[in-house]
Amino acid sequence: MNLEIRDTIAAISTPYGTGAIAVVRMSGPQSLYIVSKSLAKSVKAERKMQYRNFFDSNGELIDEVLITYFKGPKSYTGEDMIEIYCHGGVLVTNRILDTLISNGARLATKGEFTRRAFLNGKMDLLKAEAILNIIEAKSESGLKLALENLKGKLSDELEVLRRMLIDVLAKVEVSIDYSDDVIISDDEILSDLKYIERFLSSKVKYADRGLHVSTGVTMAIVGKPNVGKSTLLNKLLVEDRAIVTEIPGTTRDVIKGEIKIQGIHFVISDTAGIRKTHDRIEKIGIQKTLKEAEKADIILFVLDAVTGFTKEDEYILEIIESGNFVPVWNKVDVGANSVKLGDDVHISASTGIGMKDLEDTIVKKVKPLIDDGELSHVISERQLEYLKRMDHYVKSSISVLEQGYPVDIVSLDIRKALGELDELSGRNFTEDLLDNIFSNFCVGK
Ligand SMILES: Nc1nc2c(ncn2[C@@H]2O[C@H](COP(=O)(O)OP(=O)(O)OP(=O)(O)O)[C@@H](O)[C@H]2O)c(=O)[nH]1
Ligand SMILES: [Mg+2]
C-alpha cells in the first residue's frame, strides 16, 4: 500500500457503539484548516481543550464538542493533529467524521496514525508494536512487558546488540585491510562473536515466554470422536460454545475460546475427533485438528473411561506423544479404567467431577513455559523471527571462522545479521513490512 503522507487523515478512535463520549482524530497538514470549516471560531491555541459548536457542510449544527489542537511535531504522529471529543452516539460521531472527509480529509487506514508516527521518526517499529501489544494485552504481565517496550526496553537492548555487531564488523574490516600487520587476531573476533551469539540465543530462548505471557498459552483438546471434547470445552468456558451430540463426528471445525485458569490466560481449541473416515468434510476437520495439536503449547488428550484405551487412542497417542499432553479420562460418572499413560486426570465433563484436579494439572504443566527465569521483551512472532535469523547468521560466522575460512567471509554474515536487525527495529523498512504490521491495528490508532 502506498500511502501519501502529505494528505490529511481522519478516523473515529473510540470503539464503534454508544458511549458517553467518542473521539474523532485527524492528522496532517490540513487538519486545522479542515476543522475550521466546521467551526464559527477557529481553535488556534495549542494543546488546550476548547469548547465549540460543530457544524456540517450545510451549516447545520451536529454537536457541542471539545477540540484540542496539537501542532506538529509535538503530537502523536509528529504532524498537526486535531482531536474532537463529541457525544458518543454512533450517528453524531459518524456525521462529524463525514464532515471532516467532505471538507478534505481522507479516511485513515488501519494503524495509519501510528504508521505516520513511525514514518515521522516519533517512534521505532518496536515501540509501534508495543502500542498494539498494550491494546491487546491479555494479562497483567503481558501489559507490563508491552509498557516497558513502549518506554524503549527492547529498542535499547537491540541498540546494544547493534553496537556489538558494528564493533565486531569494524574489527573484521580492519583485519582485512591491514592483514599484514595483524592488529586484531581471529581469536579476538571469534570471542566477540561468541559473546553476541550467547546474547542472541538467550533472547530467542526466553522469547517463547514473552509470547506466552502476551498472547496466551495455546491448549488443544484432542481425542477420538464422541469422548466428550466439546463437552469439556463448554465446561471450561462455562458456556455452551460447541455443539454436543451423541453422534461421533459432531465437531468438524476448530472452535476457539479464551479463559483464565489460576491467573494464566489460555486460548483453547476444541477439535474434530480423530478417526479414519471417508467423509470429505470430516477429513478436512481432522487435518485441522492435527495442525492445532502441533501448534499447541499443551494438549488435553481426552479418552473415554467407559471404553478404556482403544486402537484409535493408540494411533492418536503416537501423534501427540512428543508434545506436552495430559491424558484426560472422561465420563468417570459412568465408567472407570486402570490404564495409566502419564499424569492422568479423571473427570466427568458433563457433571464437573475432577475439573479442579484437571485445572491444577494443566497449570502445573504450563508453569515452566511462563514463569521460570527471565521474561523476554520479545513479544511478537515477527520480532522472534528476526532474532532467529540473526542468531543463524552469527552462528554461521562463528563456524566459518572456526573452520579457518578467510575473515572477509565472516564480514558477509555479520552484515546480514545487521540487515535483519535494522529491519526488526524499522531502521530499514519496506511498504510491505509496514502493511503487515499496521494491518493488525484498528482504524483510528
Ligand atoms: N456420561 C457422560 N457423558 C458425557 C460426558 N461428557 C460427554 N458426554 C456425552 O458424550 C457424547 C459426546 O460428547 P461430545 O462432547 O459431543 O464429544 P466430542 O468428543 O466433542 O465428539 P466429536 O465432536 O464427535 O469428536 C454426548 O452425548 C455427551 O453428552 C461425561 O462426562 N459423562
Ligand atoms: Mg465435538
Side-chain angles (χ1 to χ4, degrees), residues 230 243 251 270-271:
S230 302
I243 300 172
T251 307
D270 174 26
T271 63

Side-chain angles (χ1 to χ4, degrees), residues 225-231 245 249-251 273 330-331 333 348-350:
N226 216 38
V227 288
K229 297 180 297 298
S230 302
T231 311
T245 74
T250 298
T251 307
N330 188 34
K331 308 193 186 181
D333 53 320
S348 162
S350 56

Side-chain angles (χ1 to χ4, degrees), residues 333-354:
D333 53 320
V334 285
N337 80 93
S338 53
V339 183
K340 196 161 166 52
L341 302 171
D343 267 346
D344 302 40
V345 183
H346 298 85
I347 65 160
S348 162
S350 56
T351 67
I353 299 171

Side-chain angles (χ1 to χ4, degrees), residues 28 45 61 97 120-121 191 194 213 224 238 242 266 268 288 324 340 348 370 380 389 410 435 443:
L61 180 67
L97 178 65
N120 290 323
S191 133
K194 284 189 171 164
V213 164
K224 67 184 177 204
V238 202
F266 286 86
I268 319 178
K288 285 192 174 186
N324 190 16
K340 196 161 166 52
S348 162
I370 49 176
S380 78
R389 288 209 285 265
V410 175
D435 287 348
V443 175

